[in-house]
Amino acid sequence: MTTPAQRWARTVRIAQGVGGVGFILARLLLSVCNIPALCGPLAGVSSLLAVVYIVTYLGRATERLTSAVGRGATHLLALTCVLHLAASVLDPASSNPSLERTGLVYVLDLVTWVWVLCVGLAAARWLWGQSPTAAATRTEPVAPRHLSRSALIAAVLALQVWALATGAPHLWPFMDYRLYSASHGTPVRAVHHRLYGLTAQEPITFIEITSEALGMSWFVYHTQFIPQLFDTPWLVVDELQRKLADSDVPPLRLVLPERKTFDLDGGRLGTFGEHRVVPVDETRLR
Amino acid sequence: MSLPASASTARPAWVAAWTRFWFPTTTAVPLAVCRLVLVPAWLLVFAPPWDELVVPLTYDPARINQTMILAVLRFVPVETFHTEGFLWGVYLVTTAGGVLATVGLFTRTSLLTFGLGHCLLVGHVYSYGELHHPEALFCVALVLLGLSPSGRCYSIDAWLGRRSKHPDRWGPDAQMDTATWALRLVQCLLGLAYFSSGSAKLWDGGLAWMNGATMQTIVLTDYVRFGMPAGLWLIQHFWLCVAAAATTIVVETFFFVAVFLPASRKYVLASGVGMHMGIYVTMAAPFFTWMTMYVVFLDFEMLRRRLVRPNRDGVVHRGQPITDPATIVL
């Protein structure tokens, strides 16, 4: 039989957990919000949850959270909530994605990401628990050999983090992984380029000229070379003629770069093709 | 070569945590198994064929932009480097290193040669503006394995070592504190790469990345290139695209949990495999190298202990219970 005081304490603890975790999630979504209709509500919800957490924090209802994440973390989370409230009052950029982020909002966003990582790890611990074998792991005292390996570990991690942070493409094999990170809206559309040629000798026919036939990388061929041939043929036609002359492709009278646009409309895929005629004169190269 | 015990007890907590994380005392079994999986996998399946490695020889060497290749060009004249003969030499030496590393003869040297050689060859291909992602971490993993004692067991080196002056340093039961750091580092690099990919989608694309249209556009772009039928099916189901986008971000952003929580690994790795297979069947993007690298998360020492244990005479027999409580966590 629970007393009203116990029920109240339980309610406060739940409010505090919901406030803390909910604030972190809402603040994360707010920090990456670029849908205007959602940003206003997200700003309101995150501020409300911040207030809930601060009230429960001031009411010293944080014992359970302290045992879970540590006393310092509860203080820091309260500080983050206060900063968020201050920013939302003082800085319009905190809830308006069309404004440029200020220093305070930027710092808040970074702090939010740190919190998200901590919450993710804590949630995983809660869900799966720590491995029972971890406690049995034996370690030796620090040895000189550890220092050299530690330096190597730090160097490798630093290089990888540097590559991630700067997006530097020249640090192979360390690179960033911003794959497909841009967002797209409607209409859903894609463009693909191919190259065809009309043979110069009998039997006269159209053939597709592939990247393998010209000894080119598929990616460069389809995303750079043919688009250039389509849009600004005078820039690359000499290179094309050289490659054709060096290849096993039969002599051509002309080449036809093709740009095909694919449009997804109501679940149906429509296509629209465009061609450009580019005369080639390989004879002077052969 | 340890410091006095008093020094170790006085060390700060973060030093103790660092040592516990990177240098636990374990056997080299997981490391050796990773060598036996990753080296043949790269050698036989993932390494770019010779035809692809020589494609850049048709490009202007003045375009070379990778720092590593530019560093090599300080020692090797570009007229020598940018020739089929030189690359063929590197390719032969590298392949020979891979064969030796697989059987475990001169394991460190051969594995380092293999890893660095392929870093050079693949790095050269990616020195002219075109850059793809599946190979980089695998090359780093091969080099790190070469720097670690991955030949201490399941190798010809180990077989010879058991007949040397220090037989206790070789074989699957030999204990050492340098057998984990390389695997941990590969785990961390994988976690960082996934986190970079997931967080970049939120930073660059924002919430709109999960609007369904983004996933439809991405899959459609690859459908028109590679013609995967599953891709066409996916883009016609809007809400499935929304769910796939949200799942991708969650899996990538929180993959790092597998580094710190061994209990979560079977779920996280299964999610990763599911995501990559989904990407492959809809977009034809082959990240099999990354899925193969998941081997660094698997606890082969635990598996071995379940299958074999030393008998009274020191001989290992299968299927007997374990008496030694020392264990490891990868």
Side-chain angles (χ1 to χ4, degrees):
Chain A
M1 187 83 183
T2 53
T3 63
Q6 286 173 322
R7 277 201 297 274
W8 171 246
R10 186 166 171 270
T11 306
V12 170
R13 277 201 304 272
I14 291 171
Q16 191 239 344
V18 170
V21 176
F23 164 72
I24 291 167
L25 291 178
R27 188 67 188 74
L28 170 74
L29 295 177
L30 181 63
S31 73
V32 297
C33 183
N34 56 355
I35 302 174
L38 287 179
C39 298
L42 273 175
V45 169
S46 52
S47 295
L48 178 68
L49 291 167
V51 169
V52 169
Y53 180 79
I54 290 170
V55 168
T56 54
Y57 170 81
L58 293 175
R60 299 186 188 284
T62 57
E63 285 81 4
R64 177 163 290 192
L65 193 67
T66 302
S67 65
V69 298
R71 187 170 294 280
T74 57
H75 298 332
L76 284 175
L77 183 55
L79 184 62
T80 310
C81 291
V82 170
L83 276 176
H84 166 77
L85 291 175
S88 58
V89 171
L90 301 172
D91 193 342
S94 65
S95 59
N96 190 340
S98 60
L99 297 177
E100 195 172 340
R101 280 189 174 88
T102 59
L104 177 61
V105 176
Y106 210 74
V107 169
L108 259 174
D109 289 349
L110 287 177
V111 171
T112 303
W113 272 97
V114 175
W115 279 116
V116 167
L117 298 185
C118 295
V119 166
L121 207 51
R125 275 210 179 98
W126 175 76
L127 194 60
W128 290 300
Q130 184 53 273
S131 165
T133 54
T137 305
R138 290 193 288 124
T139 55
E140 299 296 328
V142 178
R145 63 182 176 278
H146 293 161
L147 296 179
S148 59
R149 286 169 177 84
S150 295
L152 177 69
I153 290 164
V156 170
L157 288 176
L159 275 170
Q160 182 60 61
V161 170
W162 177 259
L164 297 179
T166 61
H170 306 141
L171 278 176
W172 166 268
F174 301 101
M175 58 205 302
D176 79 334
Y177 292 87
R178 292 175 173 267
L179 300 168
Y180 303 106
S181 61
S183 60
H184 304 274
T186 49
V188 176
R189 187 171 286 168
V191 176
H192 187 50
H193 291 83
R194 298 170 89 166
L195 186 61
Y196 298 93
L198 184 67
T199 53
Q201 296 162 358
E202 294 290 340
I204 294 175
T205 180
F206 274 107
I207 56 170
E208 179 170 6
I209 304 166
T210 61
S211 57
E212 291 86 5
L214 297 188
M216 292 180 73
S217 141
W218 186 96
F219 188 79
V220 171
Y221 185 65
H222 284 276
T223 63
Q224 294 169 26
F225 189 75
I226 309 179
Q228 266 193 313
L229 200 59
F230 190 92
D231 295 325
T232 52
W234 57 89
L235 291 178
V236 287
V237 72
D238 284 346
E239 187 181 350
L240 172 68
Q241 291 187 157
R242 272 198 303 276
K243 287 188 179 299
L244 283 171
D246 292 340
S247 72
D248 295 331
V249 176
L252 300 172
R253 184 175 300 174
L254 50 88
V255 295
L256 286 96
E258 177 196 71
R259 179 168 70 190
K260 194 173 260 187
T261 305
F262 295 77
D263 211 335
L264 186 71
D265 186 14
R268 292 188 171 206
L269 196 59
T271 58
F272 174 67
E274 300 163 88
H275 295 88
R276 176 186 277 274
V277 177
V278 181
V280 289
D281 178 14
E282 297 171 59
T283 49
R284 63 188 171 87
L285 293 165
R286 280 186 189 268
Chain B
M1 259 306 259
S2 304
L3 293 177
S6 56
S8 68
T9 52
R11 60 188 168 169
W14 70 268
V15 175
W18 176 273
T19 310
R20 199 165 51 244
F21 185 75
W22 296 104
F23 307 110
T25 301
T26 67
T27 70
V29 169
L31 202 54
V33 174
C34 286
R35 187 195 90 234
L36 289 171
V37 172
L38 296 183
V39 175
W42 182 263
L43 198 59
L44 301 174
V45 183
F46 300 131
W50 172 245
D51 294 349
E52 282 182 28
L53 296 175
V54 290
V55 166
L57 292 179
T58 60
Y59 304 155
D60 181 4
R63 285 170 54 196
I64 290 176
N65 61 7
Q66 289 295 347
T67 308
M68 190 185 76
I69 305 297
L70 291 173
V72 171
L73 290 179
R74 289 187 179 182
F75 302 98
V76 183
V78 69
E79 300 80 24
T80 307
F81 183 90
H82 201 71
T83 59
E84 194 166 334
F86 181 81
L87 289 184
W88 179 245
V90 174
Y91 183 75
L92 280 184
V93 171
T94 301
T95 306
V99 173
L100 290 180
T102 303
V103 298
L105 185 60
F106 308 118
T107 312
R108 279 199 185 207
T109 310
S110 56
L111 194 41
L112 261 181
T113 307
F114 183 60
L116 290 173
H118 273 292
C119 269
L120 187 77
L121 291 169
V122 182
H124 178 237
V125 173
Y126 292 157
S127 288
Y128 300 87
E130 183 183 356
L131 202 56
H132 297 288
H133 293 80
E135 298 95 347
L137 276 182
F138 209 105
C139 287
V140 175
L142 291 175
V143 174
L144 291 175
L145 282 182
L147 292 169
S148 62
S150 62
R152 287 297 182 96
C153 58
Y154 307 143
S155 65
I156 295 177
D157 284 345
W159 185 80
L160 295 170
R162 294 296 289 267
R163 284 148 187 80
S164 68
K165 287 180 185 174
H166 303 286
D168 54 317
R169 294 182 185 173
W170 300 87
D173 293 313
Q175 299 278 314
M176 63 199 78
D177 60 4
T178 51
T180 300
W181 68 270
L183 298 180
R184 283 253 197 252
L185 192 48
V186 177
Q187 292 171 7
C188 288
L189 292 175
L190 267 172
L192 269 173
Y194 276 116
F195 179 74
S196 155
S197 185
S199 59
K201 289 177 176 72
L202 286 175
W203 275 106
D204 299 344
L207 286 183
W209 205 88
M210 291 178 272
N211 63 6
T214 299
M215 182 62 82
Q216 284 178 313
T217 305
I218 290 170
V219 177
L220 176 62
T221 302
D222 279 343
Y223 169 72
V224 302
R225 290 174 178 174
F226 307 114
M228 303 299 274
L232 180 61
W233 175 82
L234 177 64
I235 60 176
Q236 291 170 331
H237 295 80
F238 175 79
W239 288 106
L240 211 52
C241 288
V242 174
T247 306
T248 301
I249 285 181
V250 170
V251 170
E252 289 186 339
T253 305
F254 293 103
F255 187 90
F256 76 94
V257 165
V259 178
F260 301 102
L261 281 181
S264 70
R265 283 180 187 167
K266 55 185 162 190
Y267 306 102
V268 175
L269 298 187
S271 307
V273 169
M275 182 183 74
H276 283 306
M277 289 309 293
I279 291 173
Y280 181 70
V281 298
T282 56
M283 298 166 64
F287 275 83
F288 295 109
T289 46
W290 286 34
M291 284 189 276
T292 307
M293 277 197 292
Y294 287 179
V295 73
V296 302
F297 287 98
L298 303 183
D299 193 346
F300 291 105
E301 176 60 20
M302 187 79 81
L303 186 68
R304 187 182 77 94
R305 285 176 179 281
R306 283 186 186 169
L307 297 175
V308 295
R309 72 150 208 140
N311 204 356
R312 271 183 304 180
D313 55 1
V315 179
V316 171
H317 298 284
R318 290 181 183 282
Q320 294 182 336
I322 306 159
T323 51
D324 183 2
T327 183
I328 68 158
V329 181
L330 280 184

